[in-house]
Amino acid sequence: MVKNYLNLFRWKNLLIAGATILLTKYAIFEPAIENLFSESHSTMGFLETSLLAISVMIIAAAGYVINDINDIKSDEINKPSKVIVGKSVSVNAAGNLYIFLNVIGIFLAAYIGSLAGNYKLAILHIIAAAILWIYSSYVKNTFLIGNVLVSIATALVPITYFFFE
């Protein structure tokens, strides 16, 4: 059961997204601050950065869930042995999980934003969730538009750290 949910969430991709946030802070931002602006410092500590990484991972997981919900028919034809929604996880449970993950991800982002001094930073998570929903529901199979939306969502991962910082 747990394995099905981990596969539904594409846990390896989520780890990459979370690691991207941490690497953005510790491999790009912190060295740049030390070398270029020695009088300045990072405003987000390890805990806040980790929570931000988790919130990004939660929004991405919701994106994978909605994608699988909208792809049930094509997945049953193209990769029947890997279908999770509709077999291991009911469509209703997946829909509820999608909503739950988005709500938790956005509230966590609002909390981190309030720690950073601006809870409105959670709008980035709302935008990312909307992009993933639009992509999955409407433009996945369109020429170029789907690729552009996925590229924007992917680029939002490291950019999110800089906005919150």
Side-chain angles (χ1 to χ4, degrees), residues 4-60:
N4 292 326
Y5 280 98
L6 289 174
N7 288 333
L8 176 65
F9 297 150
R10 319 290 201 284
W11 66 273
K12 293 175 187 174
N13 295 353
L14 297 181
L15 290 178
I16 291 169
T20 299
I21 296 287
L22 293 172
L23 286 170
T24 299
K25 175 181 177 63
Y26 293 109
I28 297 171
F29 188 76
E30 291 287 334
I33 289 291
E34 284 179 25
N35 293 327
L36 300 174
F37 307 103
S38 58
E39 303 278 324
S40 187
H41 67 286
S42 174
T43 58
M44 288 178 52
F46 178 75
L47 177 63
E48 293 89 357
T49 306
S50 298
L51 289 174
L52 180 62
I54 291 168
S55 70
V56 166
M57 292 165 64
I58 290 171
I59 294 295

Side-chain angles (χ1 to χ4, degrees), residues 90-111:
S90 73
V91 176
N92 188 37
N96 290 335
L97 183 60
Y98 167 73
I99 293 168
F100 175 76
L101 289 171
N102 276 316
V103 168
I104 295 300
I106 291 166
F107 275 122
L108 187 55
Y111 171 71

Side-chain angles (χ1 to χ4, degrees), residues 51-103:
L51 289 174
L52 180 62
I54 291 168
S55 70
V56 166
M57 292 165 64
I58 290 171
I59 294 295
Y64 288 124
V65 172
I66 194 65
N67 190 53
D68 278 9
I69 291 170
N70 290 329
D71 275 357
I72 293 172
K73 290 180 183 176
S74 63
D75 285 349
E76 285 176 345
I77 295 168
N78 297 323
K79 49 182 181 177
S81 63
K82 294 185 178 184
V83 174
I84 298 170
V85 174
K87 290 192 176 181
S88 304
V89 177
S90 73
V91 176
N92 188 37
N96 290 335
L97 183 60
Y98 167 73
I99 293 168
F100 175 76
L101 289 171
N102 276 316
V103 168

